[in-house]
Amino acid sequence: MVRLYSLHPFGSQQVVPCRRPPERVCGGGDALFAAAGCQVEAFSVAARALCRPRGVFGTPGRVLRMAYSEPGDYLVTIEEKNKTTSLHAYVNWRSKRTENCRVCIRMVGHSVEAPFSEAFRDQMSIIEMPLPEAPLCLACCPVKGDLLVGCANQLVLFSLKYSVINEEFSMLDFERSLIIHIDNITPVEVSFCVGYVAVMSDLEVLILKLESDPRSEESVNHHPQKTSGPLSQTEDVSHETSQLESDDFVICQKPTELLGEKSKHSGVSVTLESTGLVDAKVKYSQVQHLLYRRFTPDVSSYALSDDIKLHSLQLLPVYQTGPPAWEEEAAQTRDKEPRTVFCFFSLPHAGYLYTVARPVGLTSVYQYPETSLQAVLTPQFLHVITSHNLQCFTVRCSAVVAREEDPYMDTTLKACPPVSMDVCALRIQLFIGLRAICHFRNYVILLTKADPEAIPERTQSPKRLLSRKDTSVKTKIPPVAETGWNLYIVNTISPVQLYREMVEYSNSYRTVRTQSCIHLLSEAHLLLRAALMDGSRLEPGERAELLEAFKESCGHLGDCYSRLDTQHSHLALPYYKMSGLSLAEVLSRVDWAGENESQKYERGLIFYVSHSLHENLDEELSEELAAKVVHMFHVSEPKQLPQVLCSPSMKNVDPPTALHYLRKLDACGLSSVLVALTRAAVALRMGDLDLHETEMQSYSEAKLVCGFILEPRLLVQQRKGQMVPTELAVHLKETRPGLLVASVLGLQKNNKIGIEEADSLFKMNACSHYGLISPWAHAFISPDLSADKNYTEDLSKLQSLICGPSFDIASIMPFLEPLSEDTAAGLSVHVLCRTRLKEYEQCIDTLLERCPEAVVPYASHELKEENRILWWKKLLPELCQKIKCGGEKYQLYLASLKAEALSVAAMELGLRELLSVLPGDGAAAFFLPYLLFCSQKKSLA
């Protein structure tokens, strides 16, 4: 099914000023070519579809077909002269400004001497490509620039290469690297993309993948590899066909679709013959069959033979990754392997889009309202022409890529519209006398002729079209150019602009046809995904605008799934997550009808809010929004009220209102220990200790422990990544410490919290005057002191109090002065106090003199941020001075210098700054590794 809309994907249009009525057109990059007879006109296409003549050059014969390759910047043609067809490539065509400019002619496979090759630098070159058979069709690889030519019984692959003439000049050239012999199918169109080969006859399509196997390269050069199916039956059918076909009988084979390995049994044999050089970078030595499809003509339209032909074969590479990579500015470039490859081909009334990389399968079928003449596929649209209009359809390429990258799509974190969603026609634009279409960048090129009579390109008897065994394709040369031809270049509007129009259009479906609203917003979402896939063509400003629109589209889809009762309501959660909206921002978008018991809240909104409240977000809802949330769950999901009220986001909920709804749970038969504990916590917030105690007394201690295990957030909540005890937990510490300990142990045994979290919780449910002792202080505890456990415990308590938050160090210093610094204990206490007073330089002097083994741990822990400069301004010079003096502590000073001081200085300073702080009389070999690291630091970064 195809949904019809009336949007405006096409913007401005311009008539291309051709000198002669064009017969063939193609383009790419910034170039547009129009061929008429034996002449080709080149145009430069700038922004906003501005098209200017660039040059004109003659061709040896009349151009029958042509294609442009952006990699290599060359034009390739099939030409006819004296009833003979030939293949030519035009390189360096930009230097051909006038028709009288000199042209160099050379042939593939013939080396050119250096003096002559230098002449090619500023001249257009025509490269003749000899073929064993007459060329029928051609295609250029959009990624590598290689050329594939279709002949009656074989396909010839020319690899694009550059011949290096000297250091300043390299010459584009081709090498005939592979011949693909194909029996039982005559190519009418071919397409090639990084090893993928598509061949099409009038009613058949065959897709192959060429692969390189180093183990078989040698054998392939001499013994071609042949892949075939059960040919005997097919050959018998062909033989019977040749005998039975007459004026009275027509043999039709049944329609067939073979995917993957099954396509080997199509009856089409494929043989590879390597003709390239031994040292070629890419050598294809084996073939993989991907798809074979055969159509059967409608016998009722027997007299109208042109209505049963396939047309518009195309392989489309898609490059970019899915949404997680879109947060990064880096995007894949065009010289990398594409993420996946799609294949499109069409009958007059239906088009078929397949994905051929990785899983091969049919993606979409396009039913045209009128008979199509030609179509082109892009990552964003499918453009189709009939005799009277230009049609624009949506495509599913971005959805396919997203799901290939992440097969677990539509989880709680990310989502994407389904590939199976109905395609839609965005626009049917009237054009008179359409004949041909091509597309590059954001431009659609249309070739028209006012005369309604079409010029047929392939004429065969109707009965011959029904049989596959046809060894020749007759190409009718267009007659002499007539009047009435026009060439248009149509600019497609920006994806963001079209997205805005689609969003506005979707508003009309909001209250009438809800599914249509979701469908159109999904189309808008996929449009933005497709635009972001190839980020190499986007300016930073365009990319930022697309990303912002992408997040906005996720918000719109989240709104749809949260408000509409559909089987996919759960998708509200991932779309809201992708939108970047906060919980409060999402709730502010809800149309609250007031606290009415009869109000209905849809499943998508409830699912999103419930999941968000369970995520322990560092976001506190306002009292108004919290009241709305409580009422929503009271009406729709009363069982979830205890869990909702325990969320840190609901901190500002009005306690009497929460208690009012919790009391109603008794009437619903939902009273439980969890409800009682929640009511007790709310009563405690209200200051109603009697009610609190009543609720706590209603169940045994074992039952209360089970209630805390069901909802740990009654005791501990996560705020900014840290576990924090609740008001109820603090109250239980004073009134029921046994219950608190049992509950925390129960949480740990049931994997609700970890051992470290339980330990830190106990240390916090402990006296808050104590703090964590600085790790460097342990260096002062000597083995003889550690033997006295009471002394060690008292010292640890004193050190912990000094490190704690309660004491004003300046005020307690007089009480600590009696402690002598001659003892390790006294020294540690005084250094801790001076550290709290931020007297770091004095502490370094003391440690260097009294306890040098502690100076590096001290500096590592204390000298951070604005105090980090003391590493090289204070500690490094002092250590160097102490080492000069020698003494019994020489080895300690030397170890401290080598352990951290020099490493930190080399890491933080530049080479010149490091040299300035090093002693002038030191050994060069000692400091050399640090100087070398400092000098290489910038290049390593």
Side-chain angles (χ1 to χ4, degrees):
M1 177 181 176
V2 177
R3 295 173 180 251
L4 300 177
Y5 297 103
S6 182
L7 299 169
H8 301 84
F10 305 120
S12 61
Q13 72 179 45
Q14 178 188 358
V15 177
V16 180
C18 297
R19 297 185 181 183
R20 301 174 60 183
E23 299 168 358
R24 301 285 181 268
V25 291
C26 68
D30 64 341
L32 173 64
F33 300 92
C38 298
Q39 188 181 81
V40 175
E41 294 182 61
F43 300 88
S44 174
V45 183
R48 300 180 182 178
L50 295 178
C51 187
R52 296 185 178 88
R54 182 163 195 132
V56 62
F57 52 89
T59 60
R62 177 181 293 274
V63 177
L64 304 182
R65 297 201 181 200
M66 67 178 181
Y68 171 75
S69 172
E70 189 171 352
D73 190 26
Y74 69 88
L75 180 73
V76 61
T77 63
I78 295 178
E79 303 171 13
E80 189 275 341
K81 185 177 181 180
N82 297 329
K83 298 182 179 182
T84 302
T85 55
S86 57
L87 183 69
H88 294 136
Y90 297 81
V91 301
N92 201 19
W93 55 270
R94 296 178 185 269
S95 63
K96 181 74 172 176
R97 298 293 182 180
T98 63
E99 297 185 53
N100 297 326
C101 293
R102 294 183 59 185
V103 174
C104 299
I105 300 178
R106 50 193 172 100
M107 183 173 293
V108 167
H110 290 254
S111 60
V112 181
E113 297 181 1
F116 293 97
S117 62
E118 286 288 345
F120 298 157
R121 183 195 300 268
D122 299 321
Q123 296 182 17
M124 185 183 79
S125 297
I126 302 178
I127 304 178
E128 295 185 359
M129 299 183 174
L131 292 168
E133 296 181 356
L136 303 176
C137 48
L138 51 82
C140 301
C141 174
V143 181
K144 304 295 184 182
D146 297 338
L147 172 63
L148 184 70
V149 183
C151 303
N153 298 298
Q154 60 189 14
L155 308 178
V156 182
L157 178 62
F158 291 90
S159 299
L160 179 66
K161 67 176 185 178
Y162 290 88
S163 301
V164 179
I165 305 303
N166 52 47
E167 296 179 356
E168 300 178 354
F169 175 55
S170 60
M171 187 172 61
L172 184 143
D173 203 354
F174 295 88
E175 176 191 358
R176 190 174 69 174
S177 57
L178 183 69
I179 297 178
I180 308 172
H181 298 276
I182 298 183
D183 296 333
N184 301 324
I185 186 171
T186 301
V188 169
E189 292 186 28
V190 293
S191 187
F192 184 68
C193 180
V194 286
Y196 291 90
V197 175
V199 187
M200 185 179 77
S201 67
D202 285 325
L203 289 173
E204 295 172 286
V205 175
L206 175 67
I207 303 178
L208 311 168
K209 184 179 181 182
L210 303 177
E211 297 176 337
S212 59
D213 185 4
R215 295 170 298 178
S216 61
E217 281 184 3
E218 184 177 353
S219 62
V220 169
N221 287 332
H222 303 285
H223 305 285
Q225 178 186 355
K226 183 174 182 179
T227 62
S228 63
L231 293 181
S232 57
Q233 181 180 358
T234 305
E235 290 172 351
D236 291 342
V237 171
S238 301
H239 181 65
E240 292 178 8
T241 300
S242 62
Q243 289 183 338
L244 292 177
E245 279 185 350
S246 66
D247 294 336
D248 300 321
F249 293 95
V250 172
I251 302 300
C252 299
Q253 297 184 22
K254 64 180 181 180
T256 304
E257 182 190 52
L258 301 175
L259 302 177
E261 291 295 319
K262 294 182 179 179
S263 61
K264 288 184 177 180
H265 307 297
S266 63
V268 178
S269 63
V270 180
T271 305
L272 301 186
E273 178 185 353
S274 178
T275 59
L277 299 177
V278 178
D279 58 347
K281 293 183 179 179
V282 178
K283 180 170 291 187
Y284 298 114
S285 56
Q286 57 187 7
V287 63
Q288 177 184 359
H289 290 247
L290 300 178
L291 171 69
Y292 172 78
R293 182 154 188 178
R294 178 176 62 227
F295 295 89
T296 298
D298 184 1
V299 180
S300 63
S301 61
Y302 172 78
L304 303 175
S305 60
D306 288 342
D307 289 345
I308 57 175
K309 294 181 181 179
L310 287 166
H311 64 78
S312 304
L313 177 68
Q314 181 182 352
L315 289 173
L316 176 72
V318 176
Y319 301 88
Q320 184 67 14
T321 58
W326 294 350
E327 300 299 328
E328 303 175 1
E329 287 299 323
Q332 293 185 0
T333 56
R334 290 189 61 86
D335 59 350
K336 293 186 178 180
E337 293 294 326
R339 177 66 191 178
T340 189
V341 177
F342 295 88
C343 182
F344 175 82
F345 49 86
S346 181
L347 285 171
H349 291 92
Y352 301 87
L353 177 62
Y354 281 84
T355 174
V356 295
R358 299 173 184 86
V360 182
L362 181 63
T363 299
S364 302
V365 176
Y366 295 86
Q367 298 292 339
Y368 309 137
E370 299 179 32
T371 302
S372 65
L373 301 178
Q374 194 178 352
V376 290
L377 178 70
T378 75
Q380 296 175 338
F381 305 111
L382 172 67
H383 299 292
V384 181
I385 60 169
T386 68
S387 59
H388 297 96
N389 56 56
L390 167 64
Q391 302 173 5
C392 178
F393 296 86
T394 57
V395 294
R396 300 285 169 263
C397 298
S398 58
V400 172
V401 173
R403 294 182 183 279
E404 281 190 2
E405 288 190 335
D406 185 3
Y408 302 102
M409 189 60 73
D410 300 336
T411 59
T412 59
L413 295 178
K414 48 197 166 184
C416 180
V419 179
S420 59
M421 187 173 62
D422 292 339
V423 298
C424 71
L426 297 181
R427 186 73 180 176
I428 298 180
Q429 185 74 40
L430 178 64
F431 272 91
I432 302 299
L434 285 167
R435 291 294 179 268
I437 181 174
C438 68
H439 177 277
F440 64 93
R441 285 165 56 184
N442 297 325
Y443 311 122
V444 176
I445 312 301
L446 300 174
L447 185 59
T448 68
K449 184 177 186 296
D451 187 353
E453 295 182 2
I455 301 176
E457 291 188 8
R458 296 176 294 179
T459 58
Q460 292 177 311
S461 64
K463 70 175 185 178
R464 294 301 299 166
L465 285 171
L466 304 180
S467 175
R468 178 175 64 193
K469 190 64 176 179
D470 189 0
T471 58
S472 65
V473 173
K474 300 177 181 178
T475 303
K476 183 176 179 180
I477 303 171
V480 180
E482 303 173 11
T483 59
W485 290 89
N486 278 311
L487 187 61
Y488 296 94
I489 179 167
V490 181
N491 186 22
T492 55
I493 66 175
S494 69
V496 173
Q497 184 178 349
L498 182 57
Y499 158 76
R500 303 288 183 203
E501 184 180 352
M502 296 172 80
V503 171
E504 183 179 355
Y505 195 98
S506 69
N507 293 332
S508 61
Y509 293 100
R510 243 178 175 174
T511 57
V512 183
R513 297 177 62 189
T514 57
Q515 293 296 331
S516 294
C517 180
I518 291 180
H519 181 273
L520 189 53
L521 287 175
S522 297
E523 294 288 5
H525 180 84
L526 290 178
L527 174 69
L528 297 174
R529 276 184 177 266
L532 284 164
M533 280 192 302
D534 190 6
S536 61
R537 293 189 178 274
L538 297 175
E539 298 294 333
E542 293 177 307
R543 183 175 181 81
E545 186 181 22
L546 281 170
L547 283 173
E548 190 63 31
F550 177 82
K551 292 180 180 179
E552 182 186 292
S553 75
C554 293
H556 289 314
L557 285 171
D559 292 340
C560 281
Y561 286 110
S562 67
R563 296 169 187 171
L564 306 177
D565 188 12
T566 71
Q567 61 177 338
H568 303 296
S569 298
H570 62 282
L571 294 178
L573 175 62
Y575 278 119
Y576 275 142
K577 289 290 184 187
M578 295 162 63
S579 72
L581 294 170
S582 66
L583 176 59
E585 289 172 331
V586 171
L587 292 174
S588 65
R589 297 158 73 105
V590 177
D591 184 16
W592 303 99
E595 296 187 3
N596 189 341
E597 294 292 335
S598 62
Q599 182 178 359
K600 182 182 179 182
Y601 299 95
E602 300 298 344
R603 293 178 298 167
L605 178 62
I606 296 172
F607 180 77
Y608 163 73
V609 176
S610 175
H611 195 281
S612 299
L613 292 177
H614 277 79
E615 281 190 336
N616 298 321
L617 303 173
D618 291 326
E619 177 186 3
E620 295 180 1
L621 298 178
S622 65
E623 183 178 345
E624 179 184 5
L625 287 178
K628 293 180 184 296
V629 170
V630 172
H631 178 263
M632 177 177 67
F633 280 92
H634 164 68
V635 173
S636 304
E637 292 287 339
K639 291 183 180 180
Q640 296 192 39
L641 264 179
Q643 290 88 349
V644 168
L645 290 170
C646 292
S647 171
S649 300
M650 298 290 289
K651 178 182 179 182
N652 297 324
V653 68
D654 180 51
T657 303
L659 189 61
H660 168 73
Y661 289 124
L662 286 171
R663 281 174 172 165
K664 287 189 174 184
L665 294 180
D666 291 335
C668 301
L670 298 177
S671 181
S672 65
V673 62
L674 182 57
V675 177
L677 285 174
T678 308
R679 285 200 294 247
V682 174
L684 187 63
R685 290 184 56 192
M686 296 172 59
D688 192 342
L689 297 180
D690 293 336
L691 177 59
H692 167 79
E693 194 61 29
T694 300
E695 296 290 346
M696 294 296 294
Q697 292 289 348
S698 61
Y699 290 92
S700 65
E701 183 172 298
K703 289 284 188 181
L704 294 175
V705 171
C706 293
F708 285 125
I709 293 174
L710 289 175
E711 186 47 81
R713 293 180 298 179
L714 284 165
L715 291 180
V716 292
Q717 293 182 350
Q718 189 172 359
R719 295 183 182 273
K720 297 182 179 180
Q722 295 185 345
M723 301 299 293
V724 179
T726 63
E727 185 179 355
L728 177 59
V730 175
H731 182 73
L732 291 179
K733 182 193 73 172
E734 303 295 336
T735 58
R736 297 189 176 190
L739 173 61
L740 178 63
V741 172
S743 301
V744 174
L745 291 177
L747 295 179
Q748 192 276 322
K749 288 182 180 179
N750 286 274
N751 298 322
K752 300 293 185 178
I753 60 174
I755 296 180
E756 295 181 357
E757 294 171 336
D759 181 62
S760 62
L761 183 63
F762 279 129
K763 288 181 180 179
M764 287 185 283
N765 299 338
C767 178
S768 60
H769 297 299
Y770 291 97
L772 188 64
I773 302 175
S774 301
W776 52 266
H778 298 293
F780 293 93
I781 305 300
S782 57
D784 54 337
L785 290 178
S786 61
D788 189 345
K789 294 184 178 179
N790 292 331
Y791 182 88
T792 304
E793 183 176 352
D794 290 340
L795 177 61
S796 296
K797 289 181 179 179
L798 178 58
Q799 291 175 336
S800 181
L801 285 171
I802 295 174
C803 295
S806 301
F807 294 150
D808 180 11
I809 301 299
S811 63
I812 67 171
M813 282 291 289
F815 301 98
L816 298 177
E817 286 184 1
L819 284 174
S820 173
E821 293 190 17
D822 294 335
T823 64
L827 179 62
S828 68
V829 170
H830 284 284
V831 174
L832 280 171
C833 290
R834 285 195 288 268
T835 300
R836 289 291 306 278
L837 295 175
K838 299 184 178 181
E839 298 175 357
Y840 301 107
E841 297 192 37
Q842 185 178 354
C843 291
I844 291 175
D845 290 334
T846 301
L847 293 177
L848 284 172
E849 190 65 34
R850 302 288 307 278
C851 190
E853 59 270 23
V855 69
V856 169
Y858 176 86
S860 298
H861 188 264
E862 305 293 346
L863 301 184
K864 298 178 180 178
E865 296 178 355
E866 68 272 9
N867 299 312
R868 198 163 182 81
I869 192 175
L870 294 177
W871 274 97
W872 51 87
K873 290 294 186 182
K874 176 68 179 177
L875 183 56
L876 181 59
E878 292 291 340
L879 283 173
C880 292
Q881 186 62 34
K882 293 289 185 181
I883 291 173
K884 293 179 184 178
C885 298
E888 60 181 8
K889 298 182 179 180
Y890 171 82
Q891 292 297 333
L892 287 175
Y893 296 136
L894 185 61
S896 299
L897 179 67
K898 296 177 66 175
E900 288 284 343
L902 277 172
S903 298
V904 171
M907 179 66 70
E908 297 289 333
L909 299 180
L911 182 59
R912 182 173 298 178
E913 291 82 1
L914 181 60
L915 285 171
S916 65
V917 299
L918 293 180
D921 54 350
F926 182 85
F927 298 104
L928 187 59
Y930 304 96
L931 293 171
L932 181 62
F933 171 80
C934 190
S935 65
Q936 294 177 342
K937 184 171 52 178
K938 183 175 181 181
S939 61
L940 289 175

